[in-house]
Amino acid sequence: MAIKEQQINEAIRDKEVRLIGEDGEQLGIMSSRQAMEIATAKELDLVKISPNANPPVCKIMDYGKYKYESAKREKESKKKQKIVVLKELRLRPFVEENDLKTKAKMGLKFLDNGDKLKVSVRFRGRELGHKDIGFTVLEKFVELIREKGTPVDKPKMEGSNLVIMIEPNKK
């Protein structure tokens, strides 16, 4: 859990604190000892919620219940988010037709999983003089995976690689 530990009860060592009651009303500025006595009388915890304020803000609450609720909220928010993974396929400028189809099949599998795809054509040595061949290889690849993914933008050179990003189609 990513809940940062807050100072509670006796761990609060400040001289003065601004106190907030359990139902949100302002109880004013008082010594931390007085605030602790009020919290103890109500059989609740004194929790420092804003340590950087001047004076620090403390609230009277049931700390165990608060921790449980915030952990539950965090878990719920994690459920709703989809982690997008970037998968990369590397090709060569003079790739054979069957090899290209095999790579396209792998690319389709990645796109089915909802992953983004980075397809790069790697040039070596004199191949850099024939970038047009790399563009045609990428065009063929994009045609093979057209039903599952769409290119984000046009292919571009990154060093000696020709790169294109492909996103999965929305369902």
Side-chain angles (χ1 to χ4, degrees):
M1 309 277 172
I3 301 169
K4 59 180 187 283
E5 287 297 314
Q6 291 159 319
Q7 290 183 339
I8 60 169
N9 298 335
E10 284 78 28
I12 301 170
R13 299 254 184 248
D14 299 296
K15 242 188 208 177
E16 285 188 328
V17 293
R18 181 179 305 273
L19 189 62
I20 299 173
E22 66 264 36
D23 41 344
E25 79 275 4
Q26 296 276 342
L27 299 178
I29 297 173
M30 58 184 72
S31 72
S32 58
R33 191 180 308 120
Q34 281 178 308
M36 189 61 223
E37 288 169 4
I38 294 170
T40 314
K42 294 183 179 182
E43 295 181 1
L44 292 170
D45 298 310
L46 183 67
V47 182
K48 189 191 282 188
I49 55 173
S50 180
N52 298 334
N54 192 12
V57 179
C58 293
K59 186 173 182 177
I60 297 174
M61 64 173 80
D62 184 353
Y63 188 63
K65 185 177 176 184
Y66 168 74
K67 262 179 73 170
Y68 171 75
E69 291 292 330
S70 56
K72 196 171 161 185
R73 268 194 307 272
E74 190 173 312
K75 190 176 177 187
E76 197 64 36
S77 69
K78 277 186 179 174
K79 257 188 220 172
K80 290 179 181 143
Q81 59 186 227
K82 167 85 173 88
I83 298 160
V84 178
V85 180
L86 180 68
K87 298 287 188 171
E88 183 175 4
L89 290 176
R90 292 186 184 146
L91 301 170
R92 302 277 306 143
F94 299 102
V95 66
E96 292 297 320
E97 193 68 31
N98 286 334
D99 295 339
L100 190 64
K101 286 180 181 172
T102 306
K103 291 283 188 175
K105 203 180 286 183
M106 275 309 301
L108 288 172
K109 214 181 281 184
F110 293 145
L111 292 170
D112 277 340
N113 291 341
D115 300 332
K116 273 188 170 182
L117 193 58
K118 177 181 179 181
V119 183
S120 59
V121 178
R122 182 182 285 164
F123 296 100
R124 281 198 240 148
R126 291 184 183 163
E127 293 173 351
L128 275 167
H130 302 287
K131 293 178 188 163
D132 53 325
I133 297 170
F135 280 100
T136 56
V137 167
L138 281 182
E139 283 172 21
K140 286 180 191 173
F141 184 86
V142 168
E143 277 306 310
L144 289 171
I145 55 133
R146 177 74 65 198
E147 76 258 6
K148 301 278 180 163
T150 51
V152 176
D153 53 356
K154 292 187 171 25
K156 59 180 177 277
M157 287 298 293
E158 289 180 1
S160 61
N161 295 332
L162 183 63
V163 178
I164 190 168
M165 300 294 282
I166 300 171
E167 285 185 334
N169 290 338
K170 303 284 186 253
K171 292 180 174 92

